[in-house]
Amino acid sequence: MKNIIFLGAPGSGKGTHSNMLISDFGYTQISTGDLLREITKEDTELGRKVKNIMASGELVSDEIMLELIENKLQMVEGKPFILDGFPRNLTQAKVLDSLLTKKNIDYQAIYLDVEESTCRKRITGRLTCKCGKPYNIYTEDLRPIVEGICDVCGSTLIKREDDNVASFNKRYQVFIDNTLPILAYYEEQNKLVKIDANQTDTKSRDDIHKEITEAIND
Ligand code: AP5
Ligand code: MG
C-alpha cells in the first residue's frame, strides 16, 4: 500500500476520502488542519496566533508547519500514512521530500480535482463531528439522521470557524497561488495522479474512492 499525499482545494474531499481509505485499509491520517485545530484549543500565544491565521484563511508559517510534520512523521514511522493538507507550497514539498528520502519512504501524490463552485457549496454546507465523521447539509446521503447530531457517536455537530464564504474565497485563492504550483513539481517526478473528484449523477463518492484505490495499488 502506497503512502499518499492528498492535494486539493478546500472542500475537494481530502478528509472524506482519507476516512474511506482508513476504514478500508487502516491508513494513518496526518491532517495538518486537524493538528492545528488542536493547537488552537490551547490557551497559549501560539494557540491564539494559529487560531487567527486559520480563521482568516491564510497559511500558517512554514517554520511552525515543518516542525509539526517532522514530529508527526516520526510518530507514524513504519505505518502507511495519508498526508491531508501538507504540503501546501513548494517549500513544504521540497523539505518533505528531503525528510522522506532520508528515511527511504516513497509516496503517491493524488490531486482531487473539483470545480470551485462545488467546493464553495460543500464548504458552506459542511458540519463536522469530533469523532471525524463528515456531514453536509446540501447532500442527501451526508445529512445527519437527527439534525445537528452525529449518527455515529451522538455528539453535537460543529461548524468550522473557517467554513464561511469569505474565508473559503481567501483559502481558495491561497490554494491557487501556493498549492497548485506543487502539481507541476510532482508531475515532473512522475509522482502525480489527477482524479476528477466532482460527484455527479453518474459518478458517486464510491466511484471516486475506487479510482483512488486503483492509483495506490498500481
Ligand atoms: P484544512 O483543515 O486542511 O482545510 P482545507 O484544505 O481548506 O480543506 P478542508 O478540510 O476544508 O476540505 P477537505 O478537502 O478536507 O474536504 P472534506 O472532505 O471535508 O486547513 C485549514 C487551515 O489550516 C488552512 O486554511 C491553513 O490556515 C491551515 N493549514 C493547514 N495545513 C497547512 C499547511 N500545510 N501549511 C500552512 N497552513 C496550513 O469535504 C468538504 C465537505 O464536502 C464535507 O461536508 C463533505 O461531507 C462534503 N463532500 C466531500 N466529498 C463529497 C462528494 N464527493 N460529494 C458531495 N459532498 C462531498
Ligand atoms: Mg479537511
Side-chain angles (χ1 to χ4, degrees):
M1 228 161 33
K2 290 181 186 169
N3 297 306
I4 300 171
I5 294 179
F6 264 145
L7 299 163
S12 56
K14 302 182 294 295
T16 301
H17 288 289
S18 294
N19 280 349
M20 294 170 88
L21 290 164
I22 290 165
S23 85
D24 278 6
F25 305 113
Y27 272 99
T28 299
Q29 178 190 20
I30 304 176
S31 159
T32 44
D34 288 348
L35 292 171
L36 290 168
R37 275 182 284 280
E38 283 304 310
I39 293 176
T40 65
K41 291 179 190 159
E42 295 165 9
D43 186 18
T44 59
E45 198 184 324
L46 177 67
R48 286 185 287 276
K49 190 172 153 189
V50 169
K51 192 175 164 71
N52 286 336
I53 297 171
M54 289 179 83
S56 75
E58 297 281 358
L59 292 182
V60 173
S61 73
D62 288 343
E63 195 191 351
I64 294 174
M65 294 316 300
L66 293 169
E67 193 184 330
L68 195 67
I69 207 72
E70 193 167 357
N71 289 337
K72 204 65 200 174
L73 282 172
Q74 253 157 23
M75 287 164 72
V76 302
E77 204 138 308
K79 299 182 199 144
F81 61 80
I82 301 172
L83 281 178
D84 160 4
F86 190 97
R88 285 284 232 275
N89 60 30
L90 264 180
T91 305
Q92 293 183 5
K94 287 179 181 171
V95 175
L96 177 66
D97 266 351
S98 67
L99 281 174
L100 296 179
T101 308
K102 260 189 240 158
K103 294 172 191 279
N104 216 2
I105 296 175
D106 203 6
Y107 60 82
Q108 175 69 61
I110 299 180
Y111 173 48
L112 299 177
D113 190 6
V114 178
E115 279 174 29
E116 179 184 357
S117 57
T118 305
C119 289
R120 183 179 292 106
K121 185 154 187 204
R122 287 186 187 175
I123 287 294
T124 51
R126 173 169 56 190
L127 291 173
T128 56
C129 181
K130 62 180 180 201
C131 76
K133 180 154 168 56
Y135 291 93
N136 204 292
I137 57 168
Y138 297 134
T139 308
E140 205 178 331
D141 69 335
L142 291 172
R143 277 185 213 126
I145 297 165
V146 179
E147 195 182 325
I149 303 293
C150 178
D151 302 347
V152 177
C153 73
S155 302
T156 304
L157 299 179
I158 309 152
K159 191 166 173 69
R160 260 169 57 175
E161 259 187 64
D162 56 351
D163 278 353
N164 56 69
V165 173
S167 177
F168 170 82
N169 289 342
K170 181 72 211 172
R171 278 150 68 202
Y172 194 82
Q173 195 54 48
V174 167
F175 166 75
I176 299 287
D177 295 341
N178 297 271
T179 313
L180 265 190
I182 307 178
L183 298 188
Y185 173 76
Y186 286 133
E187 231 162 10
E188 278 160 23
Q189 301 183 61
N190 257 333
K191 284 196 179 296
L192 186 75
V193 169
K194 286 187 196 183
I195 290 180
D196 177 352
N198 293 284
Q199 188 173 340
T200 62
D201 291 344
T202 53
K203 190 171 194 181
S204 67
R205 256 191 323 284
D206 283 341
D207 293 333
I208 300 166
H209 175 60
K210 199 164 159 256
E211 280 185 39
I212 295 170
T213 304
E214 281 162 8
I216 55 172
N217 287 325
D218 227 9

